[in-house]
Amino acid sequence: MMNSFGAIVLVAAAAVCLLGLFLSSLSLNLKTARNLTRSIVLEWIDAVQGVRGRRRLAARFARLALKLLGGLQRGVLQGIGLNYQLRALALARQCFYSYAALLALAFFTLMTMMVAVDLSNHYVVTHSASDLPLFFRLTAAWAGSSGSLLFWNMLLAFFSAVAVYQWRHNDRSSPPLLLSLGLLQLIFAILSVYFDDAQPFRSYGGAMAAGRGLNPLLLHWAMIIHPPILYVGYVSFAIPFALTMGALLSRSLKQDWTPAVRRWTIFSWFFLGTGILLGSKWAYEELGWGGYWAWDPVENASLMPWLLATAFLHSLLVQDRRGMLRFWNIVLLTLTYHMCLLGTWITRSGILQGPHTFAESSIGKPLIIYIGLSFLFYLRYVYFMRRQLRPDQAMEAITSKEGSMLLNNFLMSLATLIVLVGVFSPLLPIDCSFDHGFVCNKVEWKQSAFNKVMVPLGLFTLFLMGASPLLSWRKDAWSVWKRTLRWPLLAGIVAASLFGASYGLLFTRGENADASSWGPGVVAEIFSILTVGIAVFVFWGLAQEFWQGARSRIARFQENPFRALALLTLRNKRRYGGYLAHLAIVFLFVGYSGGSFKQTDKFEFHYVRMPYEEGSGLVRYYSGDKAYLDAYEIEARDLFLHPVWKDNADHSSARDFTIGQQAHYLVREQGEPRLPEVPREGESSFDFANRQHSRAARLIKVLSGIVVDGRMSTERQFHPQIDPASGDVVREGERALHQPTSKPDIRSAWNQDLYIQLGAIFDPASGRNPDLNHAYEVFFFHPMGKNELAEDLLFPRRITATLEVWINPLVKFIWLGSLLFFFSGLLIVLPFGEKERHPS
């Protein structure tokens, strides 16, 4: 019943979308219609032949098209009882509001089915389960391809309705605005109706026995905020693009359309950037690989539009202040919008593999065709308007503020192009040589390949980011050298020199320190030194700007320094909020620079099985081996095989039986005291090992990275795969199939993180990796199990377990920068404080 209702709502929404698009076309005036029917091919032919005036092929084609379109418009308007175009435009707006309401109803229907675990629905069966907590049943609505696509479409409908309402009094540019948004809505409406992979209301012939549940990797607190925030950033970029195209196609560029475009772009840029940083945090805490950014295709897909949007926001300042870069700005916004669509395609087409991508989907081809046609369709209007988009003034100095922003634009665009090539490198024959004739091969770019190019580019961009606020409009850098640049540059040089002389005392060079993406490891260290120097240069320059502004307010209004700084920031949010965002980027770069001193190693600890603890259901191994890395002493202690039960689980069913392999360690840094703890009376070994730290100890660990008793634990969990038809665990023969997840432990100090993750377990007696999961399932559920004899028969007496260890310097600065980015962006986005100012 609910499946049919949801499908009917989607069909009705598609019909309303089509009607809105049709009414929008009826509301076009003749000038806008002429712009839409211009042919770039015919204009090129006219230019080659030198034909001018009314005899041009392009002019004759436009007259014919307008004659046909005008007659069709009049006939249709009269036929449906509309007396004039503005009434059609008003009805088109109502269609956009209705479409948003229908999409919200469809998504609410899906959420209801997820909560109720309607096992007749294909999407619910593959992403929900009755034993899944309500929190994750709700968030699973955007965890899969078709559900996330419906969520994407609902957000687009909502933002479009808001934009249409905001622009309701502008009858001239509204029709092309509605057409641009309507076309995008229509392609996703068609996908959701005609393509099974995008249809969230597909049903089975009858209800399944059980749901598969959510992918265990997604059982994380960030699931509730990371995908929605990222989608908001992706989707909302359609609004500033459509506003710009509306002004462009209606020849309304002389109207001040940039404030609305700026507000929407800042909104999208903030959410996309926040989503990217949240994804880094999730990857670091959940995947157990010791990193936060792997240049994965989907990571890159979100980074590319963010880079272009950052460039656009900066060059929009130049347009407002100096009347320059209009043509370039519209090109940037067009690229940003289509990069957002491309990111959606990369995630869902299945053509590029990564940990974030969905399986291969049938929607890949129609979506990429639409993206290509849309890009060409809109880019030609930018070409047609190139003369109207000429700058009002010429650039007078390349080292001026506008010159630095233009150069920054170039670097960010170049970075986007490099990332784009790297993303599609598995599909492109770009690795060419003359070894045996001229041969080109497809070679996938790895993390080192990206770093080799992007790190130097990022450092140059960081320097320009710091220099730009200190430069003046129209004047070259030498004219402001003493007033603004001298002290920040000197501070940066001193900081780089001091760090270069002392980093050997702060960080230990690992065994692989003589190798990096650039060859000798010392090159990576030089880049880190440069990063610290440039970061101090930027920090000093920003502090100088804040101090000068606050000092002016103190002298003018007799305010105390804290009030002066607060009001300075609130009354000039675009400027000083932007400076805080720059400071956030500085902290991020400082954190990234620590990667040059990263160390990683693997240790094998020998364990012996301990006597069975009657009635516990646990298998316990113990080791006293020690290993040393840098200044850390790592002592292996208990390793448990134990069950992990969900809430309200059936403890007699293998369906609810998740197997945990949990290892405990005592870790001490050189010279660090450790407060030993002893078991309480009657406390089991498992409870003692997993005893929670006190609140004070947890606070000390978060703030300083010090663990007062030295305890750290890491775990691998193996979740059973469920067959929806039978409701039983999927098996190969007698062995249950499991999906593994990792739970690393991180000891995070300001100078470095100690990151540990349990690895493979080996049986030295048999010379292979034992199937501990199958043995433990038999031990736990067999009628003759859970005793010392069964334990002796099923489990090896001795094992070795690998511990993977990473020392990640300065990672805490990445999370500090992420927090500052969020709060600075929130400050700029929220509608209080500074009023919108129009350039004089």
Side-chain angles (χ1 to χ4, degrees), residues 775-817:
Y776 190 59
E777 184 182 20
V778 173
F779 173 77
F780 200 88
F781 289 108
H782 195 277
M784 302 298 291
K786 290 188 181 179
N787 55 57
E788 191 167 359
L789 177 60
E791 189 180 62
D792 285 335
L793 292 173
L794 290 169
F795 298 99
R797 179 67 180 164
R798 299 179 183 277
I799 60 172
T800 60
T802 301
L803 180 68
E804 300 179 39
V805 184
W806 292 265
I807 295 178
N808 296 324
L810 306 179
V811 171
K812 212 155 192 169
F813 282 91
I814 297 177
W815 315 134
L816 175 63

Side-chain angles (χ1 to χ4, degrees), residues 436-462:
H436 302 286
F438 185 70
V439 179
C440 294
N441 300 305
K442 300 174 184 177
V443 178
E444 181 180 0
W445 284 24
K446 300 297 183 182
Q447 190 168 356
S448 60
F450 280 103
N451 289 340
K452 187 179 296 184
V453 183
M454 294 298 292
V455 169
L457 200 62
L459 285 177
F460 197 11
T461 304
L462 181 66

Side-chain angles (χ1 to χ4, degrees), residues 421-739:
V421 172
V423 166
F424 288 99
S425 61
L427 310 177
L428 302 174
I430 55 177
D431 184 24
C432 301
S433 66
F434 291 91
D435 292 342
H436 302 286
F438 185 70
V439 179
C440 294
N441 300 305
K442 300 174 184 177
V443 178
E444 181 180 0
W445 284 24
K446 300 297 183 182
Q447 190 168 356
S448 60
F450 280 103
N451 289 340
K452 187 179 296 184
V453 183
M454 294 298 292
V455 169
L457 200 62
L459 285 177
F460 197 11
T461 304
L462 181 66
F463 175 77
L464 288 175
M465 186 188 77
S468 184
L470 307 178
L471 298 173
S472 295
W473 298 104
R474 304 177 62 180
K475 300 178 182 178
D476 61 35
W478 300 113
S479 61
V480 295
W481 158 255
K482 288 186 177 180
R483 183 168 55 88
T484 62
L485 285 169
R486 179 175 53 175
W487 290 111
L489 277 173
L490 182 60
I493 292 171
V494 170
S497 302
L498 291 175
F499 184 72
S502 62
Y503 74 86
L505 302 176
L506 301 173
F507 308 107
T508 302
R509 302 177 83 236
E511 294 180 0
N512 58 346
D514 291 326
S516 71
S517 302
W518 305 274
V522 69
V523 179
E525 294 165 12
I526 290 172
F527 279 132
S528 292
I529 294 169
L530 289 174
T531 301
V532 171
I534 295 172
V536 171
F537 161 70
V538 178
F539 181 85
W540 193 288
L542 294 176
Q544 182 175 277
E545 289 291 297
F546 273 100
W547 168 242
Q548 289 175 353
R551 188 173 60 178
S552 176
R553 287 194 64 91
I554 291 170
R556 188 177 176 185
F557 302 109
Q558 303 301 310
E559 297 171 340
N560 66 66
F562 297 105
R563 178 179 174 81
L565 274 173
L567 291 179
L568 176 75
T569 305
L570 288 175
R571 300 284 169 83
N572 302 272
K573 291 200 306 177
R574 273 174 49 193
R575 179 179 180 181
Y576 291 98
Y579 288 167
L580 289 176
H582 283 193
L583 185 59
I585 302 299
V586 168
F587 286 134
L588 289 172
F589 268 77
V590 170
Y592 297 148
S593 71
S596 298
F597 307 100
K598 179 177 182 177
Q599 297 184 64
T600 180
D601 209 337
K602 293 182 179 181
F603 301 106
E604 286 190 353
F605 295 108
H606 298 81
Y607 290 82
V608 61
R609 182 161 44 82
M610 303 299 290
Y612 179 67
E613 298 179 15
E614 194 66 35
S616 68
L618 304 173
V619 177
R620 179 191 176 201
Y621 287 87
Y622 188 83
S623 172
D625 287 358
K626 294 183 180 180
Y628 299 88
L629 179 62
D630 195 8
Y632 291 101
E633 175 191 89
I634 304 171
E635 181 181 347
R637 303 303 289 262
D638 294 296
L639 190 153
F640 296 98
L641 299 181
H642 71 106
V644 181
W645 302 105
K646 300 177 182 177
D647 293 339
N648 302 318
D650 181 0
H651 288 206
S652 63
S653 171
R655 279 180 43 185
D656 299 332
F657 186 65
T658 295
I659 300 170
Q661 298 177 2
Q662 184 186 91
H664 294 262
Y665 304 88
L666 291 179
V667 180
R668 180 170 58 184
E669 199 169 359
Q670 185 176 3
E672 179 182 88
R674 186 172 67 210
L675 302 178
E677 289 195 20
V678 295
R680 298 165 184 161
E681 186 176 352
E683 188 176 33
S684 69
S685 59
F686 185 79
D687 291 339
F688 170 62
N690 287 280
R691 185 194 298 171
Q692 292 293 319
H693 290 106
S694 66
R695 290 182 180 179
R698 289 200 298 269
L699 183 62
I700 291 172
K701 180 181 178 182
V702 170
L703 295 178
S704 66
I706 296 175
V707 182
V708 291
D709 59 1
R711 289 186 294 149
M712 294 185 72
S713 65
T714 171
E715 186 168 359
R716 297 170 69 201
Q717 291 185 355
F718 298 84
H719 302 258
Q721 298 183 25
I722 307 300
D723 179 10
S726 65
D728 296 328
V729 178
V730 180
R731 296 181 181 274
E732 286 184 353
E734 296 181 352
R735 286 171 168 76
L737 297 183
H738 295 90
Q739 182 168 354

Side-chain angles (χ1 to χ4, degrees), residues 147-271:
S148 65
L149 209 62
L150 177 60
F151 183 62
W152 203 103
N153 205 0
M154 184 194 69
L155 288 175
L156 175 63
F158 172 74
F159 291 137
S160 298
V162 171
V164 168
Y165 180 79
Q166 288 177 336
W167 223 243
R168 64 193 181 280
H169 299 304
N170 194 321
D171 296 330
R172 184 175 178 182
S173 62
S174 282
L177 166 68
L178 268 61
L179 280 174
S180 296
L181 293 173
L183 280 171
L184 181 60
Q185 289 178 346
L186 182 62
I187 184 64
F188 283 98
I190 291 172
L191 292 176
S192 66
V193 172
Y194 290 104
F195 290 82
D196 287 346
D197 294 330
Q199 171 53 262
F201 297 108
R202 289 161 56 197
S203 62
Y204 293 105
M208 294 286 105
R212 290 179 181 170
L214 195 61
N215 186 326
L217 289 173
L218 301 180
L219 298 173
H220 188 266
W221 62 267
M223 185 60 192
I224 189 66
I225 54 176
H226 167 53
I229 286 176
L230 204 61
Y231 288 166
V232 167
Y234 266 126
V235 175
S236 57
F237 269 119
I239 307 304
F241 171 76
L243 290 171
T244 302
M245 287 300 124
L248 190 70
L249 294 173
S250 62
R251 304 274 180 134
S252 305
L253 289 172
K254 290 186 178 179
Q255 298 180 6
D256 197 5
W257 53 274
T258 56
V261 169
R262 181 190 301 106
R263 284 193 297 270
W264 274 102
T265 304
I266 290 174
F267 176 85
S268 307
W269 172 86
F270 163 68
F271 275 92

